[in-house]
Amino acid sequence: MTGVRARVRGDWLGLGAPVVVGVAAVALWQAVVTGFGIEPFVVPAPSDIAAELGANLGVVTDAALATATNALLGLVLGTLLALAGAGISAAWRPVADAATPLVTATAVVPIVCLAPVFYTMFGTDAQTTRVVVAAIAVFVPVYLNTLRGLRTVEPVHRDLMRSYAATPWEATRHVTLPGALPFFYTGLRVASSLAVISALVAEYFGGPVDGLGKAITSAVSSSRYALAWAYVLGAVATGLVFYAVTAVIERNNHAR
Amino acid sequence: MTAVVVSGARRVFDGGTVALADVDLTVGEGELVSLIGPSGCGKSTLLRLIADLDAPTSGSVSVFGKTAERARKDQDYGIAFQQAGLLPWRSVRANVELPMQLRGARGDRADRAQRVARATELLALVGLADFADHRPHQLSGGMQQRVAIARALARSPRLLLMDEPFGALDEMTRERLQDELLRVRATTGAAVVFVTHSIAEAVYLSDRVVVMSPRPGRVVATLDVPLGGPADRAARGIQLREDPVYFERVSAVREALHSGEAASDRVPS
Amino acid sequence: MTAVVVSGARRVFDGGTVALADVDLTVGEGELVSLIGPSGCGKSTLLRLIADLDAPTSGSVSVFGKTAERARKDQDYGIAFQQAGLLPWRSVRANVELPMQLRGARGDRADRAQRVARATELLALVGLADFADHRPHQLSGGMQQRVAIARALARSPRLLLMDEPFGALDEMTRERLQDELLRVRATTGAAVVFVTHSIAEAVYLSDRVVVMSPRPGRVVATLDVPLGGPADRAARGIQLREDPVYFERVSAVREALHSGEAASDRVPS
Amino acid sequence: MSRPSRWSSARRWSSLSRPRRSGLLAGTAGVLALAAAWEAYKALLPDDGWVLGEVRVLPRTTDVAMPHLWDMFARAAEPLTSAPDSPPLWLATLQGAGFTLGVSAVGWAAGVVFGLLVAVLMARFVPARAGLLPWVVLSQTVPLIAIAPLVKRWGAQLEVGTFDWQDWMSVAVIASYLAFFPVSVGALRGFTSPDAAADGVRLDLFRAYGVGWWTTFWRLRAPSSVPYLLPALRLAAANAVVGTVVAEVSTGLRGGLGRMIVEFGASASADPAKQWSPIGGAVLVGLAATGLVALVALGLRRYRVEETA
Amino acid sequence: AGEPEPGAATPVVLQLQWVAQAQFAGYYAAVDQGYYADEGLDVTIQEAGTDTVPIDVLAAGDADYAISWVPKVLGSIEQGTAVTNVAQVFERSGTLQVAFKDAGITEPADLAGKKVGSWGYGNEWELFAGMQDAGIQTPDDIELVQQAFDMNGFLAGDIDAAQAMTYNEYAQILETVNPETGELYQPEDLEVIDWNDHGTAMLQDAIWADAGRLADDEVYAETTVGFVKASLRGWAYVRDNPEEAAAIVTAAGSTLGASHQLWQTNEVNKLIWPSTSGIGTINADQWDQTVEIAMGTRNETGATVISAEPPETAYTNEYVEQALAELAEEGVDTQGEEFEALDVQLTEGGS
Ligand SMILES: Nc1ncnc2c1ncn2[C@@H]1O[C@H](COP(=O)(O)OP(=O)(O)OP(=O)(O)O)[C@@H](O)[C@H]1O
Ligand SMILES: Nc1ncnc2c1ncn2[C@@H]1O[C@H](COP(=O)(O)OP(=O)(O)OP(=O)(O)O)[C@@H](O)[C@H]1O
Ligand SMILES: Cc1ncc(C[n+]2csc(CCO)c2C)c(N)n1
Ligand SMILES: [Mg+2]
Ligand SMILES: [Mg+2]
């Protein structure tokens, strides 16, 4: 049933349908807000948000860049740690078992609980905590997925490498690592937008005065909701860029 | 010197399953021996013992007069599994080059050139010269199997271990590959241990057919197949399959299988 | 009335692959017709047209005088695929009951009792009475195939469509199931369209063997197999396979296949 | 090419997995190792941590930044405040954890229901899938704290008959906003898993039976989705807890851990061990939530021969 | 206020700007002492979280009155929120900028080149006004640091000058042991910039009512007088009974320690008493100063609170004057000229 026609249809749907849904949703939103005269503190009109975004593009961009920088550093740091951790855990089972409760705890502990103590630990005058919080959020999915990938070696490939009397390093290089790559990317894709959200949430609890999280609260506290939503758009765009970039890296790196 | 000597090999799995009970097997140099028997009778287990991918609970295995482990480390055999087991991230050519690459000690330019030449030659042999740069998923199941066979042949091993390599193929492709195997054997003189559950295939290819019975796996019969040497067989091709000796041996193997089966109390499916 | 009439059926896939080109096929009531041909020649495609799982690009298919769609909705046929396709979360019994349950209009107690009785009967028929409460993953591949066959028979269809149902089995299990199929056919009188790539199997089972050529898929030969009716064949069992007529027909099908193959320029694997 | 089916290969893997007990032992060792590392780090490194150039690479080790573990436990045993009838801190934390867990559970349930509905919609209609899926992904890039006050506001405007919207319900809605995402994505993958070429035979079978989409859904798609759904439910549980705590901080809802974290900020300098109690509580809530999901998984184990991420 | 109907108290919701603490002691005392009930009001007090904007809760109709700082509300009013300040409870600002003695910060100009703490959430305008007056360009001349819920950043030296409310964060510092002396930090260890002394103080806690309902809804207008009256009476109670008031707040669910709670009660009293024109009265000069600063001060993004004068409806003394008159009749002291602050001893952790 899948064929060229279906694929062409799929491509059209893949781009067109979300746009249609998006435009329809925004139009409905605008109509409801203007039609019922809804106050901006309930929900601001898309047109007002767009106007604020236009008027404050520079400020929004600066804030987004500040947040994105922390998110990116956190993404890189968390990914590197997760890869190292997953490598060690895959090679040495007791380490994996020992790490399990700690990783589970990390996965379930809300960032809002950790951010305040991290600011105390790393200093509230630096971006460090935001990077660390993002890194922790990134660590969990990348570690878990990569570990799963490293452990899922096809038995036939394992036998093959043994039949070649391949060294552990050769087996890792030629079979384990390439096989784990798709799993790693699955984790990275999840992690990419998590990194942005986490860095942003961390801004609520301290650190230098910059970034989207801080900007959103500032705007809201003086009832400038349309401006706040312009910053939210900045956050969405940043998250989207992170997601898209990882998706592109994935596609280029393991074209299958 | 014989290629493989298995004596008194026993393999009991953790659950208590006796997969092999006192199996003796000798494969002479250049000889092709088929293992046949109902599913679960221990054919793969036996092959894995020879390949040192598994160790016997008791008994011994020697390959070219050395331990199985030494032979594995010396790369004395090539192996093809029932699943092709290609690495999906490598091209067809790179898959065939893999065993050479792992052992190509120096990895220099001359080494590389030699590797490329050998892979080209092998791909031509299995009829896939045009597909060298494809990825495995772009090939049909039969083509993948052929790549796996080319890979097994890569280092011109003196011993070939093949576990139902043609199991997934349609009859005609299968027959073509059987002929190819005979040709390769004729040119390289390698010994072959060939697992199959096709009686016709076993008779067509083998110097000897070893019939096994299920749980605990034992050798119940060993039948010689006097149909001539590999070069001879490869030349006769389709006519061989209509030779009365061929039919007679097919019937003999079938009977040995059925009686071996009757000997065990419950038939696995 | 005939069971299946395919006339001038053509199936062109989106990529432009002509899977079937002007295929005509008639299957009489109670007749067993095998489709054989190299991989990719359109056997499965043809079967799927009959089952209304796919529609012809041009040409027509009728089943018991109705459209294929009507016949599918009326549950006129039972089908078994090459993969068993059992539902892993259902017991063996529940898998066999599935088609009855989906159509058991009332779902009351009497209906249930009848369903249970029928499933028990079918499981006995395929030799799995003791495994009714097992889950599919506890069965070997061959046993799973047998469950799928029992499921295909569940509503006593007048037409059975089977796509290489014994493909994954070892030779002996396969032979046993072939005999079972002959027995079922003898008792129910169902028409069967049987896809296989085993020449021996096609000859052993069929009233007629339809040989197809690859891309574009065509019928290149239709061979009658005068080996007697199903009851007769089932009774003769292993001797049938040593009958000279059997050997002759095997050779004839092989030749038809080879010539059909030669007719097309490139051989798929 | 024949591949071992997912179902049978799963059995082989599970038979290879080590006995549970050694994992438990190693897990305990891991927790103890972390505790030891905490104290060793505190003992060995200077108060100011390790500053590389401008950046503090390793954290401070002062008692304010990293209290001794025994101080955390000792503090938990002391009363919450100096008020005469004040409960011990551990008890207050446990009560807060219970409250947060309850709200999370409601949020989780709501998120699961909504996620499943969205997934069914997307599974049933291809254009719905194409149109909605990107927005479902996009929804998770909207920072929670931006929408929390709005949700509270929308909820507060709601009053139907005798039903009066409570503030904790807004918190549960916010939790469900995070919980629905993995469920909808995971369930969609599960519902459409029979469409995969390798599994197509089952779908063909149902078509051969001439039954409709919904019968196929209940008999095939829904059961097939379980291996994909279970990890999604677990993720949703963790997300629901995160969402609840964030929303508690954001809206100031009294009773849960989020509120405790906000309030204990005031004593973070003079009573630094205090704020570690709700952090421990949050970990407990998260573990309890995923543990409860494990119970659900137990109920569904017949459908769960293998789990897929 | 009108005659309270027997048995049918008017339900009233009050939205605070933070969680329960002595900052709001007057309202809790009024509930506890039955002052609201005396006015025929059944008052529910709603606490706030980090993202609650009290004025919008009020405008959305989810509360009848809200407590908020004037500069924050001016911004909301300019965004179209129709609310009116009906009682300016705090006459003085409680916001300080605190530094350790050795940081060399004694006046706003010294903040240049320093790491300066700021809360955000609209609590930072006095700081920006003070720095702007001192000729400091933000953000270029200083390093702005977002201040957390706690004072750890200040204590650890991440922040040279931190924002602190006299009644809260300043006390948090004094409740902490100075590692150098082994004793609690003392006021002598600290240098304090009090914006009341630098002309950039802005009006803080006030009672806000819905402007639309004040104009159209007579009952609401009447309720407002009753509500303001009972609230102010509550504050008078707090002035006269600080220990009891602190206990009332703690009983209402605040988890602050006893000495901290009492300190806060006492400091809040200092922001109200003695009252120049009677508690709750909005003094035009203070209002104008607040508006002027709100229009002229830029924050780190270059934004000002408001760009134009607020409308007439932004504040009125109409209701508070009625309330004060009724209170005077009942013999309540609404100026507190005799007010004497306590000398509260803080203990470690404020317990
Ligand atoms: N790892 C294992 N653990 C436990 N039992 C095993 C293991 N591997 C194989 N067995 C058992 O040993 C017996 C022999 O298995 P083996 O795979 O050698 O059979 P086979 O003859 O190759 O069958 P087939 O024709 O189906 O490939 C079977 O009963 C099987 O269940
Ligand atoms: N969905 C499809 N889209 C495009 N081409 C298809 C599709 N299904 C089958 N084909 C093509 O149609 C031809 C016939 O396929 P079909 O599956 O009927 O072969 P077959 O005879 O059953 O082969 P096999 O013995 O391998 O099962 C093949 O060339 C195949 O590539
Ligand atoms: C997110 C957030 N963080 C800190 C404060 C601290 N704060 C600054 S002024 C004030 C009121 C008087 O205490 C309080 C609590 C806040 N409000 N919101
Ligand atoms: Mg085997
Ligand atoms: Mg087919």
Side-chain angles (χ1 to χ4, degrees):
Chain A
M1 277 190 299
T2 54
V4 172
R5 201 170 59 202
R7 218 167 26 243
V8 168
R9 203 165 98 97
D11 280 353
W12 186 88
L13 277 176
L15 281 176
V19 172
V20 169
V21 170
V23 169
V26 170
L28 184 74
W29 174 1
Q30 179 75 45
V32 168
V33 171
T34 32
F36 291 86
I38 290 179
E39 301 279 1
F41 51 75
V42 175
V43 62
S47 54
D48 294 343
I49 298 174
E52 285 284 4
L53 185 60
N56 295 283
L57 204 55
V59 193
V60 174
T61 313
D62 285 349
L65 280 179
T67 303
T69 308
N70 292 327
L72 182 64
L73 289 173
L75 186 62
V76 172
L77 182 67
T79 302
L80 291 179
L81 286 176
L83 285 179
I88 294 168
S89 291
W92 209 36
R93 182 88 199 195
V95 172
D97 285 344
T100 303
L102 304 180
V103 174
T104 314
T106 314
V108 298
V109 68
I111 306 159
V112 282
C113 301
L114 292 179
V117 298
F118 280 161
Y119 277 114
T120 306
M121 285 161 73
F122 288 102
T124 192
D125 56 340
Q127 304 281 359
T128 322
T129 294
R130 297 165 181 177
V131 174
V132 168
V133 164
I136 288 176
V138 165
F139 177 85
V140 175
V142 176
Y143 172 86
L144 289 178
N145 279 287
T146 308
L147 182 58
R148 185 188 279 239
L150 291 174
R151 283 191 177 156
T152 333
V153 172
E154 297 244 349
V156 61
H157 290 160
R158 198 189 317 245
D159 282 349
L160 189 70
M161 293 322 273
R162 192 173 149 84
S163 84
Y164 294 147
T167 61
W169 167 240
E170 284 172 333
T172 306
R173 192 169 100 74
H174 290 294
V175 170
T176 315
L177 289 186
L181 214 56
F183 290 83
F184 160 70
Y185 279 119
T186 303
L188 191 63
R189 225 172 13 202
V190 174
S192 62
S193 42
L194 255 185
V196 178
I197 290 249
S198 308
L200 188 153
V201 169
E203 288 166 17
Y204 275 58
F205 299 90
V209 175
D210 55 13
L212 291 164
K214 171 70 177 55
I216 291 169
T217 44
S218 261
V220 167
S221 65
S222 50
S223 298
R224 300 189 61 180
Y225 289 97
L227 178 61
W229 279 90
Y231 283 116
V232 169
L233 276 188
V236 169
T238 310
L240 214 59
V241 167
F242 270 61
Y243 188 88
V245 167
T246 29
V248 166
I249 293 175
E250 175 176 8
R251 190 175 295 185
N252 288 345
N253 218 346
H254 91 115
R256 274 230 232 157
Chain B
M1 194 175 56
T2 47
V4 179
V5 179
V6 177
S7 60
R10 210 180 147 71
R11 179 68 173 96
V12 184
F13 281 107
D14 282 346
T17 314
V18 183
L20 294 176
D22 297 308
V23 168
D24 293 310
L25 176 75
T26 309
V27 180
E29 215 148 354
E31 195 184 15
L32 195 156
V33 174
S34 285
L35 305 179
I36 195 164
S39 181
C41 73
K43 304 181 292 293
S44 298
T45 305
L46 182 53
L47 204 73
R48 291 170 58 83
L49 293 188
I50 299 170
D52 189 41
L53 297 176
D54 191 5
T57 311
S58 65
S60 71
V61 178
S62 82
V63 177
F64 296 116
K66 329 179 208 180
T67 62
E69 187 186 356
R70 188 69 263 148
R72 172 172 67 83
K73 296 207 165 147
D74 290 349
Q75 290 287 288
D76 282 337
Y77 67 81
I79 191 165
F81 303 96
Q82 180 163 10
Q83 294 165 268
L86 303 181
L87 302 183
W89 47 86
R90 284 179 161 241
S91 69
V92 164
R93 167 187 297 286
N95 264 286
V96 175
E97 286 180 11
L98 178 67
M100 299 182 270
Q101 193 182 349
L102 289 176
R103 281 311 168 106
R106 305 183 312 278
D108 60 13
R109 197 174 271 249
D111 198 62
R112 270 256 292 287
Q114 193 186 334
R115 210 158 72 204
V116 169
R118 174 78 179 135
T120 309
E121 178 188 339
L122 284 164
L123 286 172
L125 181 74
V126 296
L128 291 175
D130 297 346
F131 292 86
D133 297 322
H134 285 57
R135 292 296 197 78
H137 70 95
Q138 297 174 302
L139 306 188
S140 80
M143 292 157 107
Q144 293 189 15
Q145 279 294 4
R146 289 194 258 162
V147 178
I149 291 164
R151 183 176 62 181
L153 297 172
R155 296 179 47 85
S156 304
R158 288 187 293 162
L159 172 63
L160 260 176
L161 304 176
M162 309 186 91
D163 194 352
E164 305 187 23
F166 308 148
L169 308 187
D170 73 283
E171 199 146 336
M172 267 155 314
T173 311
R174 192 167 182 153
E175 288 177 6
R176 197 168 315 110
L177 280 179
Q178 288 166 1
D179 290 341
E180 264 164 28
L181 177 61
L182 287 175
R183 252 195 305 284
V184 167
R185 224 192 116 208
T187 54
T188 65
V192 184
V193 183
F194 192 93
V195 174
T196 179
H197 52 225
S198 162
I199 301 169
E201 180 169 86
V203 171
Y204 184 69
L205 292 175
S206 318
D207 298 315
R208 236 165 356 119
V209 177
V210 172
V211 179
M212 296 177 68
S213 75
R215 261 162 285 162
R218 292 180 195 284
V219 174
V220 290
T222 304
L223 294 100
D224 284 314
V225 183
L227 280 169
D232 197 30
R233 294 193 199 204
R236 286 174 67 194
I238 194 162
Q239 287 116 49
L240 191 81
R241 297 188 206 261
E242 287 162 11
D243 187 314
V245 178
Y246 170 78
F247 285 123
E248 186 275 323
R249 289 283 87 180
V250 166
S251 298
V253 172
R254 174 170 295 122
E255 255 151 56
L257 267 169
H258 280 257
S259 60
E261 191 182 323
S264 78
D265 37 283
R266 187 167 186 98
V267 185
S269 55
Chain C
M1 193 174 60
T2 48
V4 178
V5 180
V6 177
S7 60
R10 210 181 148 70
R11 180 67 173 96
V12 184
F13 282 105
D14 283 345
T17 313
V18 182
L20 294 177
D22 296 308
V23 168
D24 293 311
L25 177 75
T26 309
V27 180
E29 218 149 351
E31 194 183 16
L32 196 155
V33 173
S34 285
L35 305 179
I36 195 165
S39 183
C41 73
K43 304 181 294 293
S44 298
T45 304
L46 182 52
L47 204 75
R48 290 169 58 83
L49 293 187
I50 299 171
D52 187 42
L53 296 176
D54 191 6
T57 310
S58 65
S60 72
V61 177
S62 83
V63 176
F64 296 118
K66 325 178 214 185
T67 63
E69 187 184 358
R70 190 67 267 148
R72 171 170 69 82
K73 297 209 164 144
D74 290 349
Q75 289 287 286
D76 281 337
Y77 66 81
I79 191 164
F81 302 95
Q82 178 163 11
Q83 293 165 273
L86 304 181
L87 303 186
W89 51 86
R90 285 181 161 239
S91 69
V92 164
R93 167 187 297 288
N95 264 287
V96 175
E97 286 180 12
L98 178 69
M100 300 183 268
Q101 197 181 349
L102 291 177
R103 281 307 169 107
R106 304 184 313 279
D108 60 12
R109 199 174 271 248
D111 199 62
R112 270 257 289 287
Q114 194 187 330
R115 209 158 72 203
V116 169
R118 176 77 179 135
T120 309
E121 180 189 335
L122 284 164
L123 286 172
L125 183 76
V126 297
L128 290 174
D130 296 346
F131 292 87
D133 298 321
H134 285 57
R135 293 292 206 72
H137 69 89
Q138 297 174 303
L139 307 186
S140 80
M143 292 158 105
Q144 294 189 15
Q145 279 295 3
R146 289 194 258 163
V147 177
I149 291 163
R151 183 177 63 183
L153 298 172
R155 295 177 50 83
S156 303
R158 289 187 292 162
L159 172 63
L160 260 175
L161 304 177
M162 309 184 91
D163 192 353
E164 307 189 22
F166 308 149
L169 308 187
D170 72 282
E171 199 144 336
M172 267 156 313
T173 312
R174 189 166 184 156
E175 288 177 5
R176 199 171 312 111
L177 280 179
Q178 289 167 0
D179 289 342
E180 265 163 27
L181 177 61
L182 287 175
R183 254 195 305 282
V184 168
R185 226 193 111 208
T187 55
T188 65
V192 184
V193 183
F194 192 95
V195 173
T196 179
H197 52 225
S198 161
I199 300 168
E201 182 169 86
V203 172
Y204 184 67
L205 292 174
S206 319
D207 299 316
R208 232 161 3 111
V209 177
V210 172
V211 179
M212 296 178 66
S213 74
R215 256 162 293 161
R218 299 180 190 282
V219 174
V220 289
T222 305
L223 293 99
D224 284 314
V225 183
L227 280 169
D232 196 31
R233 291 192 202 207
R236 286 174 67 195
I238 194 163
Q239 286 117 47
L240 190 82
R241 297 189 207 261
E242 286 163 12
D243 187 314
V245 178
Y246 170 78
F247 284 124
E248 186 275 322
R249 290 281 86 181
V250 167
S251 297
V253 172
R254 174 169 297 123
E255 254 152 54
L257 267 170
H258 280 258
S259 60
E261 190 183 326
S264 79
D265 36 281
R266 188 170 185 97
V267 184
S269 53
Chain D
M1 224 191 86
S2 80
R3 288 183 66 211
S5 81
R6 262 201 295 148
W7 312 94
S8 64
S9 65
R11 201 159 46 114
R12 207 163 323 127
W13 282 116
S14 71
S15 73
L16 285 177
S17 81
R18 295 251 186 123
R20 269 248 165 88
R21 199 170 304 163
S22 77
L24 215 68
L25 222 69
T28 314
V31 174
L32 292 179
L34 179 71
W38 179 275
E39 288 298 337
Y41 178 81
K42 239 179 104 56
L44 297 178
L45 269 99
D47 271 2
D48 207 34
W50 187 40
V51 182
L52 200 69
E54 291 278 282
V55 183
R56 177 171 287 104
V57 184
L58 291 175
R60 297 184 168 114
T61 61
T62 56
D63 286 346
V64 174
M66 295 176 66
H68 284 291
L69 291 168
W70 48 84
D71 285 339
M72 296 182 198
F73 284 105
R75 181 61 188 88
E78 287 164 20
L80 173 62
T81 66
S82 54
D85 54 350
S86 170
L89 176 58
W90 66 265
L91 185 61
T93 305
L94 224 54
Q95 283 165 345
F99 180 90
T100 297
L101 183 62
V103 177
S104 308
V106 174
W108 178 81
V112 168
V113 170
F114 183 66
L116 286 177
L117 288 178
V118 172
V120 171
L121 185 73
M122 291 191 292
R124 178 70 186 86
F125 303 105
V126 173
R129 182 182 321 168
L132 287 182
L133 196 54
W135 293 100
V136 169
V137 174
L138 209 69
S139 75
Q140 300 301 300
T141 63
V142 177
L144 201 57
I145 327 197
I147 55 166
L150 292 185
V151 172
K152 188 179 175 189
R153 176 114 351 108
W154 295 337
Q157 312 258 301
L158 211 76
E159 204 167 329
V160 188
T162 54
F163 174 78
D164 198 11
W165 188 263
Q166 304 291 306
D167 282 346
W168 67 264
M169 296 177 189
S170 299
V171 173
V173 168
I174 293 157
S176 73
Y177 180 79
L178 283 195
F180 105 97
F181 174 68
V183 176
S184 60
V185 172
L188 177 65
R189 277 227 277 163
F191 290 156
T192 53
S193 65
D195 295 327
D199 259 355
V201 55
R202 297 196 176 88
L203 216 53
D204 277 347
L205 188 71
F206 276 80
R207 195 172 143 77
Y209 293 147
V211 295
W213 192 88
W214 283 103
T215 307
T216 309
F217 177 78
W218 285 115
R219 299 276 183 203
L220 179 64
R221 292 186 186 276
S224 302
S225 73
V226 170
Y228 298 83
L229 200 54
L230 288 177
L233 292 182
R234 212 164 29 219
L235 248 175
N239 282 5
V241 175
V242 173
T244 302
V245 176
V246 171
E248 281 173 348
V249 169
S250 186
T251 66
L253 181 69
R254 184 192 280 249
L257 295 174
R259 173 65 183 266
M260 288 178 93
I261 287 167
V262 170
E263 289 188 27
F264 291 3
S267 31
S269 310
D271 192 0
K274 192 176 182 183
Q275 60 182 343
W276 287 89
S277 253
I279 292 176
V283 172
L284 280 185
V285 173
L287 294 179
T290 46
L292 290 176
V293 174
L295 288 183
V296 176
L298 210 63
L300 292 175
R301 71 181 173 284
R302 121 198 300 279
Y303 300 102
R304 172 204 173 180
V305 184
E306 183 208 37
E307 281 195 11
T308 317
Chain E
E3 292 299 295
E5 279 180 52
T10 311
V12 167
V13 175
L14 171 65
Q15 175 65 53
L16 303 183
Q17 55 178 335
W18 193 238
V19 299
Q21 57 178 358
Q23 181 189 0
F24 314 110
Y27 316 105
Y28 283 104
V31 171
D32 185 76
Q33 295 297 308
Y35 299 155
Y36 289 127
D38 290 347
E39 303 301 319
L41 304 178
D42 176 13
V43 172
T44 309
I45 299 180
Q46 270 181 12
E47 299 169 89
T50 53
D51 294 314
T52 310
V53 182
I55 242 44
D56 291 328
V57 177
L58 170 64
D62 299 331
D64 299 296
Y65 304 98
I67 308 300
S68 189
W69 290 10
V70 173
K72 293 200 230 187
V73 181
L74 287 179
S76 297
I77 290 176
E78 188 160 279
Q79 294 301 313
T81 313
V83 290
T84 302
N85 181 349
V86 291
Q88 183 58 49
V89 179
F90 288 9
E91 187 175 326
R92 284 162 280 271
S93 163
T95 307
L96 309 173
Q97 206 69 22
V98 184
F100 281 116
K101 271 263 153 61
D102 55 15
I105 299 171
T106 52
E107 54 179 293
D110 298 332
L111 293 173
K114 295 292 194 301
K115 290 186 275 193
V116 179
S118 159
W119 275 318
Y121 292 93
N123 298 324
E124 70 278 32
W125 289 106
E126 290 168 278
L127 166 63
F128 282 111
M131 291 194 293
Q132 196 167 309
D133 268 7
I136 297 173
Q137 298 290 317
T138 45
D140 302 335
D141 293 350
I142 54 153
E143 193 179 320
L144 264 188
V145 180
Q146 154 101 20
Q147 233 172 276
F149 297 128
D150 53 51
M151 293 303 278
N152 288 348
F154 172 71
L155 292 169
D158 299 336
I159 296 171
D160 296 322
Q163 267 197 293
M165 302 308 293
T166 54
Y167 49 79
N168 211 352
E169 290 76 12
Y170 184 64
Q172 285 175 31
I173 300 169
L174 300 180
E175 288 158 2
T176 304
V177 174
N178 180 348
E180 272 157 37
T181 63
E183 307 280 323
L184 295 183
Y185 281 108
Q186 296 302 312
E188 300 81 65
D189 300 330
L190 302 169
E191 203 68 64
V192 158
I193 297 173
D194 184 338
W195 300 116
N196 292 303
D197 303 338
H198 293 87
T200 61
M202 294 170 94
L203 288 171
Q204 299 192 338
D205 294 30
I207 301 174
W208 297 84
D210 186 313
R213 286 170 72 193
L214 281 181
D216 307 338
D217 182 347
E218 230 163 272
V219 179
Y220 180 70
E222 264 174 42
T223 303
T224 303
V225 176
F227 179 78
V228 169
K229 178 184 165 196
S231 299
L232 299 182
R233 194 164 167 200
W235 281 114
Y237 175 86
V238 174
R239 175 195 62 208
D240 300 335
N241 310 277
E243 268 101 357
E244 288 83 349
I248 288 169
V249 175
T250 301
S254 168
T255 56
L256 293 175
S259 73
H260 188 97
Q261 199 78 271
L262 184 59
W263 170 284
Q264 186 164 119
T265 314
N266 189 44
E267 290 300 321
V268 165
N269 272 336
K270 290 190 205 166
L271 299 182
I272 303 172
W273 313 107
S275 170
T276 315
S277 331
I279 176 173
T281 308
I282 301 141
N283 298 319
D285 55 337
Q286 289 184 324
W287 176 268
D288 292 342
Q289 175 178 326
T290 301
V291 168
E292 189 188 329
I293 296 173
M295 290 201 297
T297 304
R298 299 194 172 276
N299 71 1
E300 78 279 3
T301 67
T304 56
V305 184
I306 47 174
S307 51
E309 293 271 348
E312 282 287 300
T313 53
Y315 82 90
T316 171
N317 278 323
E318 177 186 346
Y319 305 95
V320 73
E321 275 163 8
Q322 278 187 55
L324 286 174
E326 287 180 30
L327 285 171
E329 232 165 77
E330 290 166 29
V332 177
D333 170 13
T334 56
Q335 297 208 287
E337 273 156 5
E338 251 79 285
F339 170 71
E340 288 269 6
L342 300 177
D343 185 17
V344 178
Q345 278 305 306
L346 285 170
T347 57
E348 187 180 347
S351 60

